[in-house]
């Protein structure tokens, strides 16, 4: 019996989704829970698994189309049913053959002589029950059906933008060594490759092209425009980009934004991190400065609970849980996965949650629950070298913390000049609810926690 594939509801407030890419095509076999298509909403970009095993019989929504949740976007037919459907049309053009074909009843012994290798018919040989029985025996210059599956997996190593650049410049992504998470090919990887290889590459060049960057010319080309765009191109905004724009404009119109900047000494935190990071790596995770910052933030939110509140019309909602959203920069936008009940986690738990959420965000494996329910947000422009920023509040929250670059700077300590790891932390807050004195009290609490960190707490 065919199975309908519907547009999932990726969160309580999500009413629609956009098909970004079909990973499988009509006629492709798919296993249950195997990635079937990519969607984009105002909360998350994600790969949607197939609800059943079988063959993609129908695709009703094309790439780029936006449809309401629960709309049928495709149909999965059982493999046996699809074989029966494709066998009948295959028998129709048979009169053109001069050689009699074997009986279609002989399903236990597929014949290699009946379908000539040159035939590129859409339907598989009707006498072959096991799909794609022996791909290794095909001539090397032919493209076996399994290659499509391999290419689909290669697509998962890159973003839609990277794949578009690759297509425009006739570049085979499989020949590029990715520097991103899990070998992911980033925008910088492909632009550097194009710059050093002259732009256009035959798709059959394969792995030999991976060595091309080593023969770089002395004059490095100018970097591409922000976001990976190729100069001169005109591209439509992605669904995620449009939703971010709408949300940011709405937030600026809604909240009375005010910002306070504090300079914080990370010396004790740096000592604690250096002493413990080896043990954390053995435990299978990384101990980053962000873990310490989240811990300091959760303590401050408990001490100043109004910063952990939200505004609902003319009411103030004081949240019981402390759920910290941490912004993650992607090649194709920005997403904010959420660490639920962060105040109940120790540094090891926070570190594991950070690594897990960041990795799943970049591989489009986040679930709806991973990106909802935040009561406070932290964004980290300092990872790119920014001293500080003036972040916009994520509605309906009332505050957001921006983390600047942690770097060694000369500071005055006990009337002497010393070199210490310093950073600027910026609090953006909604002046409709939070006064400057309360915001500074909150930031002072964070500053004191970080600067007087006990190394035994790591």
């Amino acid at each position: 019996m065919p199975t309908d594939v519907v547009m999932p509801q990726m969160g309580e407030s999500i009413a629609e989704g956009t098909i970004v890419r079909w990973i499988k095509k009509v006629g492709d076999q798919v296993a249950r829970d195997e990635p079937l298509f990519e969607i984009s909403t105002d909360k998350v970009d994600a790969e949607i698994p197939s609800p059943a095993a079988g063959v993609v019989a129908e695709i009703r929504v094309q790439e780029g189309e936006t449809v309401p949740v629960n709309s049928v976007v495709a149909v999965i037919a059982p493999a046996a049913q699809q074989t029966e459907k494709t066998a009948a049309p295959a028998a129709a053009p048979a009169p053109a053959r001069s050689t009699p074909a074997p009986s279609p009843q002989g399903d236990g012994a597929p014949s290699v002589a009946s379908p000539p290798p040159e035939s590129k018919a859409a339907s598989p040989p009707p006498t072959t029950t096991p799909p794609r029985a022996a791909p290794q025996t095909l001539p090397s210059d032919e493209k076996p059906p399994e290659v499509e599956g391999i290419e689909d997996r290669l697509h998962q190593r890159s973003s839609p933008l990277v794949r578009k650049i690759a297509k425009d410049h006739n570049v085979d992504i499989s020949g590029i060594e990715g520097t991103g998470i899990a070998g992911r090919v980033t925008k910088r990887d492909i632009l550097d490759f194009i710059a050093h290889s002259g732009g256009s590459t035959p798709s059959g060049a394969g792995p030999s092209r991976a060595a091309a960057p080593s023969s770089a010319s002395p004059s490095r080309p100018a970097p591409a425009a922000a976001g990976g765009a190729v100069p001169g191109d005109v591209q439509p905004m992605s669904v995620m980009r449009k939703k971010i724009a709408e949300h940011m404009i709405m937030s600026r119109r809604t909240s009375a934004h005010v910002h306070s900047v504090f300079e914080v000494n990370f010396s004790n935190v740096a000592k604690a991190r250096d002493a413990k990071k080896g043990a954390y790596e053995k435990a299978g995770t990384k101990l980053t400065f962000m873990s310490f910052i989240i811990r300091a933030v959760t303590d401050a939110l408990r001490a100043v609970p109004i910063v952990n509140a939200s505004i609902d019309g003319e009411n103030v909602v004081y949240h019981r849980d402390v759920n910290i959203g941490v912004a993650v920069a992607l090649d194709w936008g920005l997403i904010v996965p959420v660490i639920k009940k962060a105040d109940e986690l120790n540094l090891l738990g926070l570190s594991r949650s950070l690594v897990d959420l960041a990795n799943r965000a970049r591989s489009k494996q986040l679930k709806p629950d991973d990106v909802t329910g935040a009561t406070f947000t932290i964004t980290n422009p300092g990872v790119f070298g920014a001293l500080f920023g003036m972040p916009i509040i994520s509605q309906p929250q009332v505050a957001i913390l921006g983390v600047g670059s942690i770097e060694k700077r000369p500071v005055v300590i006990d009337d002497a000049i010393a070199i210490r790891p310093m950073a600027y932390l910026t609090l953006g807050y909604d002046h409709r609810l939070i006064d400057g004195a309360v915001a500074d009290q909150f930031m002072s609490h964070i500053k004191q926690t970080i600067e007087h960190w006990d190394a035994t707490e790591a």
Side-chain angles (χ1 to χ4, degrees), residues 54 102 117 123 245 257 349 352 361 407 427:
S123 58
H257 280 71
R352 284 174 171 165
E407 57 185 18
L427 182 72

Side-chain angles (χ1 to χ4, degrees), residues 254-268:
T254 301
S255 296
H257 280 71
V258 183
H259 294 83
S260 293
V261 182
F262 276 58
E263 188 176 29
V264 180
N265 186 336
F266 276 78
S267 294
N268 288 338

Side-chain angles (χ1 to χ4, degrees), residues 85-392:
K85 288 183 179 180
T86 55
R97 292 187 174 277
S98 58
T99 304
S103 170
Q105 304 301 322
D107 57 350
S111 170
V112 294
S114 56
E118 296 81 5
S119 102
K120 300 291 183 181
S123 58
T127 59
T128 305
T129 301
R132 301 168 183 141
Q136 293 84 355
T137 63
L138 291 176
S140 59
D141 60 342
E142 288 193 21
K143 184 177 179 181
E146 285 77 359
V147 170
E148 294 181 1
I150 295 172
E151 290 174 346
D152 289 335
R153 290 192 292 275
L154 289 173
H155 283 184
Q156 298 174 24
R157 298 179 55 239
S158 58
S159 68
L161 176 60
V162 169
R163 293 194 294 275
K164 182 180 186 304
I165 297 174
K167 181 178 179 181
D168 292 344
H169 291 81
N170 193 26
V171 171
D172 182 5
I173 296 177
S174 65
I176 301 176
E177 183 176 356
T179 60
I181 299 294
R184 189 177 182 86
V185 178
T186 66
K187 168 200 67 179
R188 176 56 54 208
D189 294 334
I190 192 167
L191 290 178
D192 284 348
F193 176 79
I194 291 171
H196 293 104
S197 64
S200 179
T201 353
S203 59
S208 63
R209 286 180 280 119
S214 62
S215 58
S217 58
S219 58
R220 187 176 182 86
V230 178
D233 277 5
V234 177
Q235 301 177 2
M237 294 179 71
S238 67
V239 175
M240 177 180 282
R241 195 75 262 162
K242 288 189 286 188
K243 295 300 182 181
I244 290 174
E246 292 170 4
H247 189 74
M248 293 299 97
I249 292 173
M250 182 269 289
S251 181
R252 293 290 290 183
R253 290 173 176 169
T254 301
S255 296
H257 280 71
V258 183
H259 294 83
S260 293
V261 182
F262 276 58
E263 188 176 29
V264 180
N265 186 336
F266 276 78
S267 294
N268 288 338
V269 165
K271 292 176 183 177
R273 178 174 177 266
D274 290 340
K276 298 291 184 178
K277 64 181 181 180
Y280 276 60
E281 289 176 358
K282 289 181 180 179
T285 190
K286 293 182 179 180
L287 179 59
T288 65
F289 285 108
M290 182 58 69
S291 300
F292 293 90
I293 294 170
I294 295 175
R295 180 64 180 274
V297 166
T298 58
D299 290 348
L301 290 172
R302 284 303 187 197
V304 190
I306 194 171
V307 184
N308 194 50
S310 61
I311 296 178
D312 181 12
E314 295 183 355
N315 299 320
V316 179
V317 180
Y318 292 89
H319 300 288
R320 296 179 183 273
D321 296 333
V322 176
N323 300 332
I324 304 297
V326 182
V328 176
L330 308 172
D331 288 346
W332 57 93
L334 183 75
I335 200 166
V336 186
V338 182
I339 301 177
K340 301 295 177 64
K341 298 184 178 181
D343 57 324
E344 299 179 5
L345 299 176
N346 58 17
L347 275 178
L348 180 59
L350 290 172
S351 299
R352 284 174 171 165
S353 296
L354 276 172
V355 172
D356 172 62
L357 290 172
N359 287 342
R360 288 197 287 124
R362 295 186 176 103
S363 61
K364 298 185 178 181
Q365 299 299 318
L366 290 175
K367 301 296 187 292
D369 188 58
D370 294 327
V371 293
T372 57
T375 60
F376 185 89
T377 297
I378 301 175
T379 182
N380 185 16
V383 72
F384 301 107
L387 290 180
F388 59 86
M390 298 294 178
I392 299 175

